[in-house]
PDB file of all heavy atoms in Angstrom:
ATOM      1  N   TYR A 139       2.699  -7.841 -34.884  1.00 98.00           N
ATOM      2  CA  TYR A 139       2.644  -8.077 -33.466  1.00 98.00           C
ATOM      3  C   TYR A 139       3.099  -6.742 -32.704  1.00 98.00           C
ATOM      4  O   TYR A 139       2.594  -6.435 -31.742  1.00 98.00           O
ATOM      5  CB  TYR A 139       3.668  -9.175 -33.120  1.00 98.00           C
ATOM      6  CG  TYR A 139       3.549  -9.527 -31.629  1.00 98.00           C
ATOM      7  CD1 TYR A 139       2.352  -9.981 -31.000  1.00 98.00           C
ATOM      8  CD2 TYR A 139       4.674  -9.437 -30.839  1.00 98.00           C
ATOM      9  CE1 TYR A 139       2.364 -10.277 -29.677  1.00 98.00           C
ATOM     10  CE2 TYR A 139       4.652  -9.672 -29.433  1.00 98.00           C
ATOM     11  CZ  TYR A 139       3.477 -10.126 -28.897  1.00 98.00           C
ATOM     12  OH  TYR A 139       3.433 -10.435 -27.568  1.00 98.00           O
ATOM     13  N   LYS A 140       4.128  -6.189 -33.170  1.00 97.00           N
ATOM     14  CA  LYS A 140       4.756  -5.018 -32.446  1.00 97.00           C
ATOM     15  C   LYS A 140       3.745  -3.825 -32.458  1.00 97.00           C
ATOM     16  O   LYS A 140       3.544  -3.228 -31.380  1.00 97.00           O
ATOM     17  CB  LYS A 140       6.066  -4.578 -33.212  1.00 97.00           C
ATOM     18  CG  LYS A 140       6.739  -3.393 -32.404  1.00 97.00           C
ATOM     19  CD  LYS A 140       8.116  -3.113 -33.091  1.00 97.00           C
ATOM     20  CE  LYS A 140       8.817  -1.962 -32.201  1.00 97.00           C
ATOM     21  NZ  LYS A 140      10.094  -1.565 -32.854  1.00 97.00           N
ATOM     22  N   ASN A 141       3.099  -3.585 -33.562  1.00 98.00           N
ATOM     23  CA  ASN A 141       2.074  -2.506 -33.588  1.00 98.00           C
ATOM     24  C   ASN A 141       0.926  -2.781 -32.634  1.00 98.00           C
ATOM     25  O   ASN A 141       0.364  -1.912 -31.937  1.00 98.00           O
ATOM     26  CB  ASN A 141       1.469  -2.266 -35.006  1.00 98.00           C
ATOM     27  CG  ASN A 141       2.518  -1.554 -35.898  1.00 98.00           C
ATOM     28  OD1 ASN A 141       3.516  -0.909 -35.412  1.00 98.00           O
ATOM     29  ND2 ASN A 141       2.438  -1.789 -37.207  1.00 98.00           N
ATOM     30  N   TYR A 142       0.496  -4.134 -32.617  1.00 98.00           N
ATOM     31  CA  TYR A 142      -0.629  -4.477 -31.707  1.00 98.00           C
ATOM     32  C   TYR A 142      -0.177  -4.256 -30.232  1.00 98.00           C
ATOM     33  O   TYR A 142      -1.039  -3.676 -29.568  1.00 98.00           O
ATOM     34  CB  TYR A 142      -0.883  -5.960 -31.970  1.00 98.00           C
ATOM     35  CG  TYR A 142      -1.725  -6.603 -30.949  1.00 98.00           C
ATOM     36  CD1 TYR A 142      -3.080  -6.280 -30.762  1.00 98.00           C
ATOM     37  CD2 TYR A 142      -1.252  -7.676 -30.094  1.00 98.00           C
ATOM     38  CE1 TYR A 142      -3.856  -6.897 -29.792  1.00 98.00           C
ATOM     39  CE2 TYR A 142      -2.061  -8.293 -29.161  1.00 98.00           C
ATOM     40  CZ  TYR A 142      -3.308  -7.850 -28.998  1.00 98.00           C
ATOM     41  OH  TYR A 142      -4.140  -8.487 -27.970  1.00 98.00           O
ATOM     42  N   LEU A 143       1.040  -4.699 -29.895  1.00 98.00           N
ATOM     43  CA  LEU A 143       1.438  -4.519 -28.541  1.00 98.00           C
ATOM     44  C   LEU A 143       1.491  -3.000 -28.168  1.00 98.00           C
ATOM     45  O   LEU A 143       1.134  -2.526 -27.079  1.00 98.00           O
ATOM     46  CB  LEU A 143       2.819  -5.136 -28.347  1.00 98.00           C
ATOM     47  CG  LEU A 143       3.326  -5.263 -26.794  1.00 98.00           C
ATOM     48  CD1 LEU A 143       2.356  -5.887 -25.970  1.00 98.00           C
ATOM     49  CD2 LEU A 143       4.680  -5.994 -26.843  1.00 98.00           C
ATOM     50  N   ASN A 144       2.036  -2.129 -29.153  1.00 97.00           N
ATOM     51  CA  ASN A 144       2.070  -0.823 -28.852  1.00 97.00           C
ATOM     52  C   ASN A 144       0.673  -0.107 -28.685  1.00 97.00           C
ATOM     53  O   ASN A 144       0.619   0.842 -27.807  1.00 97.00           O
ATOM     54  CB  ASN A 144       2.816  -0.076 -29.978  1.00 97.00           C
ATOM     55  CG  ASN A 144       4.378  -0.270 -29.946  1.00 97.00           C
ATOM     56  OD1 ASN A 144       4.895  -0.616 -28.924  1.00 97.00           O
ATOM     57  ND2 ASN A 144       4.957  -0.213 -31.144  1.00 97.00           N
ATOM     58  N   GLN A 145      -0.254  -0.608 -29.365  1.00 97.00           N
ATOM     59  CA  GLN A 145      -1.597  -0.036 -29.155  1.00 97.00           C
ATOM     60  C   GLN A 145      -2.092  -0.406 -27.703  1.00 97.00           C
ATOM     61  O   GLN A 145      -2.756   0.521 -27.093  1.00 97.00           O
ATOM     62  CB  GLN A 145      -2.561  -0.700 -30.206  1.00 97.00           C
ATOM     63  CG  GLN A 145      -2.331  -0.261 -31.642  1.00 97.00           C
ATOM     64  CD  GLN A 145      -3.160  -0.911 -32.569  1.00 97.00           C
ATOM     65  OE1 GLN A 145      -3.950  -1.750 -32.383  1.00 97.00           O
ATOM     66  NE2 GLN A 145      -2.878  -0.738 -33.974  1.00 97.00           N
ATOM     67  N   ARG A 146      -1.867  -1.578 -27.256  1.00 98.00           N
ATOM     68  CA  ARG A 146      -2.318  -1.926 -25.936  1.00 98.00           C
ATOM     69  C   ARG A 146      -1.486  -1.059 -24.909  1.00 98.00           C
ATOM     70  O   ARG A 146      -2.137  -0.574 -23.929  1.00 98.00           O
ATOM     71  CB  ARG A 146      -1.981  -3.315 -25.616  1.00 98.00           C
ATOM     72  CG  ARG A 146      -2.863  -4.339 -26.472  1.00 98.00           C
ATOM     73  CD  ARG A 146      -2.628  -5.752 -26.304  1.00 98.00           C
ATOM     74  NE  ARG A 146      -2.901  -6.041 -24.861  1.00 98.00           N
ATOM     75  CZ  ARG A 146      -2.239  -6.971 -24.120  1.00 98.00           C
ATOM     76  NH1 ARG A 146      -1.230  -7.615 -24.707  1.00 98.00           N
ATOM     77  NH2 ARG A 146      -2.552  -7.229 -22.904  1.00 98.00           N
ATOM     78  N   LEU A 147      -0.247  -0.800 -25.175  1.00 98.00           N
ATOM     79  CA  LEU A 147       0.576   0.027 -24.194  1.00 98.00           C
ATOM     80  C   LEU A 147       0.060   1.465 -24.080  1.00 98.00           C
ATOM     81  O   LEU A 147      -0.067   1.994 -23.084  1.00 98.00           O
ATOM     82  CB  LEU A 147       2.020   0.060 -24.626  1.00 98.00           C
ATOM     83  CG  LEU A 147       2.734  -1.218 -24.597  1.00 98.00           C
ATOM     84  CD1 LEU A 147       4.204  -1.045 -24.911  1.00 98.00           C
ATOM     85  CD2 LEU A 147       2.615  -1.991 -23.223  1.00 98.00           C
ATOM     86  N   HIS A 148      -0.427   2.002 -25.222  1.00 98.00           N
ATOM     87  CA  HIS A 148      -0.990   3.326 -25.249  1.00 98.00           C
ATOM     88  C   HIS A 148      -2.260   3.337 -24.473  1.00 98.00           C
ATOM     89  O   HIS A 148      -2.578   4.331 -23.741  1.00 98.00           O
ATOM     90  CB  HIS A 148      -1.304   3.834 -26.694  1.00 98.00           C
ATOM     91  CG  HIS A 148      -0.001   4.164 -27.467  1.00 98.00           C
ATOM     92  ND1 HIS A 148       0.990   4.840 -26.954  1.00 98.00           N
ATOM     93  CD2 HIS A 148       0.298   3.834 -28.738  1.00 98.00           C
ATOM     94  CE1 HIS A 148       1.916   5.022 -27.875  1.00 98.00           C
ATOM     95  NE2 HIS A 148       1.535   4.293 -29.062  1.00 98.00           N
ATOM     96  N   HIS A 149      -3.032   2.296 -24.562  1.00 98.00           N
ATOM     97  CA  HIS A 149      -4.275   2.209 -23.776  1.00 98.00           C
ATOM     98  C   HIS A 149      -3.950   2.209 -22.208  1.00 98.00           C
ATOM     99  O   HIS A 149      -4.554   3.033 -21.518  1.00 98.00           O
ATOM    100  CB  HIS A 149      -5.084   0.965 -24.161  1.00 98.00           C
ATOM    101  CG  HIS A 149      -6.302   0.732 -23.296  1.00 98.00           C
ATOM    102  ND1 HIS A 149      -7.448   1.237 -23.737  1.00 98.00           N
ATOM    103  CD2 HIS A 149      -6.500   0.040 -22.243  1.00 98.00           C
ATOM    104  CE1 HIS A 149      -8.400   0.831 -22.850  1.00 98.00           C
ATOM    105  NE2 HIS A 149      -7.818   0.069 -21.867  1.00 98.00           N
ATOM    106  N   TYR A 150      -3.049   1.363 -21.813  1.00 98.00           N
ATOM    107  CA  TYR A 150      -2.712   1.222 -20.386  1.00 98.00           C
ATOM    108  C   TYR A 150      -2.158   2.619 -19.886  1.00 98.00           C
ATOM    109  O   TYR A 150      -2.414   3.005 -18.755  1.00 98.00           O
ATOM    110  CB  TYR A 150      -1.776   0.153 -20.157  1.00 98.00           C
ATOM    111  CG  TYR A 150      -2.326  -1.231 -20.603  1.00 98.00           C
ATOM    112  CD1 TYR A 150      -1.424  -2.175 -21.093  1.00 98.00           C
ATOM    113  CD2 TYR A 150      -3.667  -1.562 -20.422  1.00 98.00           C
ATOM    114  CE1 TYR A 150      -1.908  -3.442 -21.491  1.00 98.00           C
ATOM    115  CE2 TYR A 150      -4.046  -2.754 -20.842  1.00 98.00           C
ATOM    116  CZ  TYR A 150      -3.152  -3.657 -21.318  1.00 98.00           C
ATOM    117  OH  TYR A 150      -3.655  -4.928 -21.796  1.00 98.00           O
ATOM    118  N   GLU A 151      -1.231   3.279 -20.687  1.00 98.00           N
ATOM    119  CA  GLU A 151      -0.659   4.483 -20.372  1.00 98.00           C
ATOM    120  C   GLU A 151      -1.825   5.532 -20.074  1.00 98.00           C
ATOM    121  O   GLU A 151      -1.760   6.280 -19.145  1.00 98.00           O
ATOM    122  CB  GLU A 151       0.225   4.950 -21.408  1.00 98.00           C
ATOM    123  CG  GLU A 151       0.858   6.294 -21.092  1.00 98.00           C
ATOM    124  CD  GLU A 151       1.957   6.672 -22.243  1.00 98.00           C
ATOM    125  OE1 GLU A 151       2.909   5.868 -22.339  1.00 98.00           O
ATOM    126  OE2 GLU A 151       1.760   7.670 -22.846  1.00 98.00           O
ATOM    127  N   ARG A 152      -2.818   5.633 -20.983  1.00 98.00           N
ATOM    128  CA  ARG A 152      -3.778   6.567 -20.911  1.00 98.00           C
ATOM    129  C   ARG A 152      -4.706   6.350 -19.586  1.00 98.00           C
ATOM    130  O   ARG A 152      -4.924   7.240 -18.935  1.00 98.00           O
ATOM    131  CB  ARG A 152      -4.749   6.584 -22.153  1.00 98.00           C
ATOM    132  CG  ARG A 152      -5.928   7.518 -22.061  1.00 98.00           C
ATOM    133  CD  ARG A 152      -6.640   7.737 -23.396  1.00 98.00           C
ATOM    134  NE  ARG A 152      -7.901   8.547 -23.121  1.00 98.00           N
ATOM    135  CZ  ARG A 152      -7.888   9.906 -22.933  1.00 98.00           C
ATOM    136  NH1 ARG A 152      -6.661  10.446 -22.927  1.00 98.00           N
ATOM    137  NH2 ARG A 152      -8.916  10.601 -22.838  1.00 98.00           N
ATOM    138  N   PHE A 153      -4.939   5.080 -19.349  1.00 98.00           N
ATOM    139  CA  PHE A 153      -5.785   4.790 -18.221  1.00 98.00           C
ATOM    140  C   PHE A 153      -5.004   4.888 -16.911  1.00 98.00           C
ATOM    141  O   PHE A 153      -5.618   5.390 -15.927  1.00 98.00           O
ATOM    142  CB  PHE A 153      -6.390   3.360 -18.404  1.00 98.00           C
ATOM    143  CG  PHE A 153      -7.647   3.264 -19.148  1.00 98.00           C
ATOM    144  CD1 PHE A 153      -7.677   3.923 -20.412  1.00 98.00           C
ATOM    145  CD2 PHE A 153      -8.773   2.544 -18.759  1.00 98.00           C
ATOM    146  CE1 PHE A 153      -8.774   3.860 -21.171  1.00 98.00           C
ATOM    147  CE2 PHE A 153      -9.878   2.463 -19.547  1.00 98.00           C
ATOM    148  CZ  PHE A 153      -9.922   3.164 -20.769  1.00 98.00           C
ATOM    149  N   SER A 154      -3.723   4.685 -16.893  1.00 98.00           N
ATOM    150  CA  SER A 154      -2.833   4.864 -15.753  1.00 98.00           C
ATOM    151  C   SER A 154      -2.873   6.425 -15.435  1.00 98.00           C
ATOM    152  O   SER A 154      -2.866   6.823 -14.227  1.00 98.00           O
ATOM    153  CB  SER A 154      -1.479   4.346 -15.917  1.00 98.00           C
ATOM    154  OG  SER A 154      -0.694   5.276 -16.750  1.00 98.00           O
ATOM    155  N   ASN A 155      -2.804   7.261 -16.406  1.00 98.00           N
ATOM    156  CA  ASN A 155      -2.931   8.691 -16.115  1.00 98.00           C
ATOM    157  C   ASN A 155      -4.285   9.111 -15.746  1.00 98.00           C
ATOM    158  O   ASN A 155      -4.366  10.016 -14.865  1.00 98.00           O
ATOM    159  CB  ASN A 155      -2.377   9.492 -17.435  1.00 98.00           C
ATOM    160  CG  ASN A 155      -0.909   9.422 -17.589  1.00 98.00           C
ATOM    161  OD1 ASN A 155      -0.095  10.148 -17.005  1.00 98.00           O
ATOM    162  ND2 ASN A 155      -0.330   8.459 -18.505  1.00 98.00           N
ATOM    163  N   ILE A 156      -5.249   8.634 -16.319  1.00 98.00           N
ATOM    164  CA  ILE A 156      -6.630   9.083 -15.914  1.00 98.00           C
ATOM    165  C   ILE A 156      -6.875   8.740 -14.397  1.00 98.00           C
ATOM    166  O   ILE A 156      -7.263   9.567 -13.631  1.00 98.00           O
ATOM    167  CB  ILE A 156      -7.735   8.312 -16.821  1.00 98.00           C
ATOM    168  CG1 ILE A 156      -7.661   8.839 -18.201  1.00 98.00           C
ATOM    169  CG2 ILE A 156      -9.128   8.427 -16.120  1.00 98.00           C
ATOM    170  CD1 ILE A 156      -8.561   8.050 -19.196  1.00 98.00           C
ATOM    171  N   ALA A 157      -6.479   7.445 -14.061  1.00 98.00           N
ATOM    172  CA  ALA A 157      -6.613   7.036 -12.589  1.00 98.00           C
ATOM    173  C   ALA A 157      -5.870   7.895 -11.733  1.00 98.00           C
ATOM    174  O   ALA A 157      -6.254   8.345 -10.639  1.00 98.00           O
ATOM    175  CB  ALA A 157      -6.329   5.524 -12.476  1.00 98.00           C
ATOM    176  N   TYR A 158      -4.627   8.122 -12.073  1.00 98.00           N
ATOM    177  CA  TYR A 158      -3.741   8.971 -11.159  1.00 98.00           C
ATOM    178  C   TYR A 158      -4.316  10.364 -11.047  1.00 98.00           C
ATOM    179  O   TYR A 158      -4.336  10.869  -9.884  1.00 98.00           O
ATOM    180  CB  TYR A 158      -2.268   8.985 -11.859  1.00 98.00           C
ATOM    181  CG  TYR A 158      -1.357   9.847 -10.975  1.00 98.00           C
ATOM    182  CD1 TYR A 158      -0.894   9.408  -9.744  1.00 98.00           C
ATOM    183  CD2 TYR A 158      -0.916  11.075 -11.520  1.00 98.00           C
ATOM    184  CE1 TYR A 158       0.030  10.168  -9.033  1.00 98.00           C
ATOM    185  CE2 TYR A 158      -0.042  11.863 -10.734  1.00 98.00           C
ATOM    186  CZ  TYR A 158       0.427  11.373  -9.531  1.00 98.00           C
ATOM    187  OH  TYR A 158       1.189  12.132  -8.786  1.00 98.00           O
ATOM    188  N   GLU A 159      -4.671  10.963 -12.092  1.00 98.00           N
ATOM    189  CA  GLU A 159      -5.198  12.334 -11.906  1.00 98.00           C
ATOM    190  C   GLU A 159      -6.411  12.402 -11.119  1.00 98.00           C
ATOM    191  O   GLU A 159      -6.650  13.395 -10.447  1.00 98.00           O
ATOM    192  CB  GLU A 159      -5.388  12.994 -13.396  1.00 98.00           C
ATOM    193  CG  GLU A 159      -4.254  13.224 -14.163  1.00 98.00           C
ATOM    194  CD  GLU A 159      -3.253  14.232 -13.508  1.00 98.00           C
ATOM    195  OE1 GLU A 159      -3.789  15.214 -12.942  1.00 98.00           O
ATOM    196  OE2 GLU A 159      -2.006  13.982 -13.548  1.00 98.00           O
ATOM    197  N   LEU A 160      -7.304  11.407 -11.226  1.00 98.00           N
ATOM    198  CA  LEU A 160      -8.474  11.450 -10.458  1.00 98.00           C
ATOM    199  C   LEU A 160      -8.247  11.081  -8.982  1.00 98.00           C
ATOM    200  O   LEU A 160      -9.053  11.373  -8.088  1.00 98.00           O
ATOM    201  CB  LEU A 160      -9.535  10.397 -11.036  1.00 98.00           C
ATOM    202  CG  LEU A 160     -10.161  10.714 -12.399  1.00 98.00           C
ATOM    203  CD1 LEU A 160     -10.988   9.539 -12.859  1.00 98.00           C
ATOM    204  CD2 LEU A 160     -10.958  12.066 -12.257  1.00 98.00           C
ATOM    205  N   LEU A 161      -7.125  10.408  -8.591  1.00 98.00           N
ATOM    206  CA  LEU A 161      -6.978   9.877  -7.271  1.00 98.00           C
ATOM    207  C   LEU A 161      -5.894  10.699  -6.551  1.00 98.00           C
ATOM    208  O   LEU A 161      -5.887  10.641  -5.314  1.00 98.00           O
ATOM    209  CB  LEU A 161      -6.580   8.437  -7.304  1.00 98.00           C
ATOM    210  CG  LEU A 161      -7.670   7.421  -7.733  1.00 98.00           C
ATOM    211  CD1 LEU A 161      -7.125   6.100  -7.983  1.00 98.00           C
ATOM    212  CD2 LEU A 161      -8.745   7.377  -6.752  1.00 98.00           C
ATOM    213  N   LYS A 162      -4.993  11.381  -7.199  1.00 97.00           N
ATOM    214  CA  LYS A 162      -3.806  11.901  -6.598  1.00 97.00           C
ATOM    215  C   LYS A 162      -4.090  12.972  -5.415  1.00 97.00           C
ATOM    216  O   LYS A 162      -3.332  13.097  -4.460  1.00 97.00           O
ATOM    217  CB  LYS A 162      -2.808  12.464  -7.611  1.00 97.00           C
ATOM    218  CG  LYS A 162      -3.261  13.738  -8.207  1.00 97.00           C
ATOM    219  CD  LYS A 162      -2.455  14.203  -9.368  1.00 97.00           C
ATOM    220  CE  LYS A 162      -2.757  15.320 -10.232  1.00 97.00           C
ATOM    221  NZ  LYS A 162      -2.857  16.642  -9.562  1.00 97.00           N
ATOM    222  N   ASP A 163      -5.209  13.634  -5.488  1.00 97.00           N
ATOM    223  CA  ASP A 163      -5.574  14.647  -4.475  1.00 97.00           C
ATOM    224  C   ASP A 163      -6.674  14.249  -3.500  1.00 97.00           C
ATOM    225  O   ASP A 163      -7.175  14.991  -2.811  1.00 97.00           O
ATOM    226  CB  ASP A 163      -5.968  15.941  -5.211  1.00 97.00           C
ATOM    227  CG  ASP A 163      -4.895  16.495  -6.029  1.00 97.00           C
ATOM    228  OD1 ASP A 163      -3.645  16.514  -5.648  1.00 97.00           O
ATOM    229  OD2 ASP A 163      -5.088  17.073  -7.243  1.00 97.00           O
ATOM    230  N   VAL A 164      -7.083  13.023  -3.667  1.00 98.00           N
ATOM    231  CA  VAL A 164      -8.044  12.470  -2.757  1.00 98.00           C
ATOM    232  C   VAL A 164      -7.583  12.349  -1.235  1.00 98.00           C
ATOM    233  O   VAL A 164      -6.388  11.769  -1.123  1.00 98.00           O
ATOM    234  CB  VAL A 164      -8.623  11.137  -3.251  1.00 98.00           C
ATOM    235  CG1 VAL A 164      -9.567  10.541  -2.202  1.00 98.00           C
ATOM    236  CG2 VAL A 164      -9.269  11.297  -4.571  1.00 98.00           C
ATOM    237  N   PRO A 165      -8.136  12.930  -0.338  1.00 97.00           N
ATOM    238  CA  PRO A 165      -7.636  12.826   1.046  1.00 97.00           C
ATOM    239  C   PRO A 165      -7.657  11.379   1.558  1.00 97.00           C
ATOM    240  O   PRO A 165      -8.412  10.582   1.065  1.00 97.00           O
ATOM    241  CB  PRO A 165      -8.569  13.724   1.805  1.00 97.00           C
ATOM    242  CG  PRO A 165      -9.768  13.776   1.040  1.00 97.00           C
ATOM    243  CD  PRO A 165      -9.507  13.730  -0.384  1.00 97.00           C
TER     244      PRO A 165
END
């Protein structure tokens, strides 16, 4: 269970950073 949850957290972390980098400089 713990490893499974950690894998999901890595996914959300990566996608949160992708979205932030693509949007942070948008006017």
